[in-house]
Amino acid sequence: MKRITIAAILLAGTSLGAFAGQAPAATADPDVPISHSDRVYAAEQFSNTVSVTDPVDNKLLGVIKLGDPQPGNLSPLYKGQVLVHGMGFSPDHKTLAVVSIGSNSVTFIDTETNSVKHTTYVGRSPHEAFFTPDGKEVWVTVRGEDYISVIDTNSFEEKTRIKVPAGPGMQIFSPDGKLGYICSSFNPDTVVVSVADHQIVGHVKQASPFCPNIAASPDGKQVWFTLKDVGKTQVFNAQAPFDLIKTIDTGPITNHVNLVSNKNGSFAYVTVGGLNQVKVFRTDTFELVATIPVGKLPHGIWPSGDGTRVYVGLENADAFAAIDTLTNKVIANIPIGQAPQAVAYVPGAVTTGDGLANLVPLGTAGQATHLNLGTKTDKSATSVTLFDQGLTQVLQASVTGLDPKKAYVLALSDKPDGSGTLEGLSNFMTNPAGSAIVNAVGPIRQIVEPQHKAERRYLVVAASADGKPGAVIQVQRD
């Protein structure tokens, strides 16, 4: 008789959907200690890759290439994915569902082999996807429209649509699989849907229209969602009448939330992009118990199978930050692809082989230039990353510290203090928290780095005067 080790028993538990009482499963599920069978994934928007990390060594194993960076993806003959962004995984931990906003697609990936099983195309600008707890359906928030695309996991075909308020942001399910919670990115209305018959059974009023992320507690009692435009996080009762429990001011560019259970209790971890922090709250008293500096523009977040760690995608740092949840300290930084968005930690993703098949090196997906803009009193109010796309770069600025709901211009100046001639790159409007995510494309790195003295330009944020740069507010500090 073969000896059955404790590790083997735990590994067998992962195949049955055990998730250590961590979201999205139930409190009763057993712990799954971190092992080499686990994988941490990130969906990377500008390199169009999915990074694959081993959490034991906190080592990037490689990336799954779903598409090309610019300008390759601008061709009319291009067939890859564009703006790889959202991510969910199946209850048996063997399939990833990866959403690409620009190509309106959901790519299903085998976690054992890192190979694409199928690609399903849905409506305009999908945002997130997640499997129902029974594994029979994948619900996709089609944010550019007004419905949830329900995909059959056997055929990978859309079987029906659930009509919801326009701009559904993300969906997650109650641990018992009976309810789906869907927040909105365009309307201040979260809806609750019966999984059995796809009917809306409840509404929750959001404090603002822009919700990008939502999480349900493993005990089936609470649902947390974030509001990116106003920098708040709200909590409501997971059961009827779905009443609002708490509204928390979390900070500018509040991105994602996830829930963690460990020996210290139950906690909500919230990524606050404009502060480059993760904030940690108790789920019973809503007390803020930790503020963790993690790096530039934290976005997606997901706990390990035993709740001892959470992994945070740093959108403007091309990296994971691994946090020890017992000390709330960053214990590792792991280079990954460009502009990580959604994150998923999948216990037991690889149970046979080394899990390295079909992975490619990071390559140019790991190349970026990082800058800061600010004032004399706040020298790093705005973080800027130039994601290398070959001869050009995608510029992304996480702008904070400005007046709410006002027009500004990201511009280039020929003087370090912004007093010279200004050339506009991108006009933008700040949200109610005085922040914004601003993008531009061009050969910008070649003129803003210090070694390019002959044509040196400096990034600035200026007030908008009839759409043109006016008074300079922030200047480049690098």
Side-chain angles (χ1 to χ4, degrees):
M1 179 177 177
K2 294 182 179 179
R3 185 178 66 174
I4 300 176
T5 65
I6 292 176
I9 293 172
L10 290 169
L11 188 57
T14 66
S15 67
L16 299 176
F19 209 99
Q22 312 307 325
T27 300
D29 290 326
D31 278 343
V32 183
I34 294 169
S35 79
H36 287 294
S37 294
D38 301 354
R39 293 291 183 266
V40 195
Y41 301 95
E44 292 143 355
Q45 183 163 276
F46 295 137
S47 53
N48 292 316
T49 52
V50 173
S51 66
V52 184
T53 295
D54 185 329
V56 172
D57 307 315
N58 285 319
K59 177 184 177 182
L60 176 69
L61 301 177
V63 299
I64 304 168
K65 184 179 178 182
L66 297 185
D68 297 323
Q70 293 184 16
N73 58 32
L74 301 179
S75 167
L77 301 180
Y78 177 74
K79 296 181 69 176
Q81 306 310 323
V82 182
L83 299 180
V84 174
H85 190 100
M87 185 180 294
F89 57 93
S90 60
D92 66 1
H93 304 174
K94 297 306 176 187
T95 305
L96 292 177
V98 181
V99 174
S100 298
I101 294 174
S103 45
N104 300 335
S105 63
V106 184
T107 303
F108 293 92
I109 298 173
D110 186 304
T111 60
E112 295 274 6
T113 64
N114 305 304
S115 60
V116 174
K117 299 162 68 172
H118 194 271
T119 300
T120 302
Y121 291 91
V122 295
R124 180 180 181 273
S125 302
H127 185 238
E128 293 284 356
F130 223 91
F131 288 76
T132 53
D134 63 8
K136 294 180 179 180
E137 297 175 345
V138 171
W139 289 18
V140 185
T141 49
V142 184
R143 188 160 69 173
E145 303 197 46
D146 59 355
Y147 60 84
I148 303 299
S149 176
V150 181
I151 297 173
D152 183 283
T153 55
N154 289 321
S155 66
F156 297 112
E157 298 296 327
E158 182 180 86
K159 59 186 284 189
T160 191
R161 294 177 175 180
I162 305 170
K163 180 85 169 178
V164 295
M170 184 184 169
Q171 72 300 306
I172 202 69
F173 299 96
S174 59
D176 62 10
K178 294 181 179 180
L179 299 173
Y181 309 101
I182 305 158
C183 67
S184 177
S185 293
F186 295 159
N187 288 279
D189 187 8
T190 288
V191 295
V192 184
V193 174
S194 168
V195 173
D197 59 11
H198 300 148
Q199 298 299 306
I200 293 177
V201 296
H203 292 263
V204 180
K205 183 175 176 57
Q206 300 173 190
S208 80
F210 189 6
C211 171
N213 193 253
I214 192 166
S217 66
D219 63 9
K221 294 180 179 180
Q222 296 178 349
V223 178
W224 291 59
F225 63 84
T226 55
L227 298 169
K228 192 168 186 174
D229 54 344
V230 295
K232 297 180 185 294
T233 301
Q234 294 193 284
V235 189
F236 68 89
N237 190 337
Q239 302 299 321
F242 311 112
D243 50 305
L244 191 66
I245 300 172
K246 187 72 173 180
T247 299
I248 305 169
D249 290 321
T250 40
I253 314 179
T254 292
N255 266 320
H256 284 207
V257 58
N258 222 314
L259 302 169
V260 175
S261 298
N262 59 33
K263 68 180 185 180
N264 293 336
S266 178
F267 304 91
Y269 282 69
V270 182
T271 59
V272 187
L275 301 179
N276 298 327
Q277 297 172 346
V278 170
K279 292 187 175 181
V280 187
F281 300 88
R282 292 194 64 89
T283 61
D284 51 1
T285 64
F286 307 106
E287 175 191 3
L288 175 65
V289 296
T291 299
I292 309 168
V294 290
K296 293 185 176 182
L297 195 54
H299 199 120
I301 187 167
W302 208 275
S304 62
D306 58 3
T308 61
R309 292 186 202 164
V310 292
Y311 283 80
V312 182
L314 303 179
E315 186 174 350
N316 273 9
D318 300 341
F320 268 137
I323 297 173
D324 183 316
T325 63
L326 297 179
T327 64
N328 285 322
K329 303 291 185 182
V330 174
I331 58 172
N333 284 280
I334 308 155
I336 54 176
Q338 294 179 347
Q341 306 290 307
V343 169
Y345 187 108
V346 184
V350 178
T351 55
T352 59
D354 59 13
L356 300 179
N358 299 304
L359 296 180
V360 298
L362 191 59
T364 57
Q367 296 179 12
T369 299
H370 305 283
L371 306 169
N372 289 297
L373 276 63
T375 64
K376 290 181 179 180
T377 57
D378 187 356
K379 295 185 178 181
S380 58
T382 293
S383 71
V384 176
T385 298
L386 300 168
F387 301 97
D388 206 333
Q389 308 277 289
L391 294 177
T392 63
Q393 300 86 44
V394 174
L395 178 152
Q396 180 165 279
S398 172
V399 183
T400 64
L402 302 178
D403 291 334
K405 296 184 178 181
K406 287 193 176 181
Y408 293 89
V409 182
L410 181 68
L412 292 169
S413 171
D414 58 359
K415 302 292 185 183
D417 61 0
S419 62
T421 301
L422 299 182
E423 179 182 356
L425 287 175
S426 182
N427 295 306
F428 65 96
M429 181 77 68
T430 54
N431 61 28
S435 56
I437 299 294
V438 184
N439 292 108
V441 178
I444 302 168
R445 172 179 53 78
Q446 290 89 325
I447 59 174
V448 299
E449 289 186 327
Q451 60 265 37
H452 301 287
K453 295 180 180 180
E455 299 180 0
R456 180 77 191 274
R457 297 291 185 273
Y458 303 86
L459 286 167
V460 301
V461 172
S464 177
D466 296 325
K468 297 180 180 180
V472 172
I473 311 297
Q474 298 178 2
V475 299
Q476 186 174 326
R477 293 292 175 179
D478 301 85

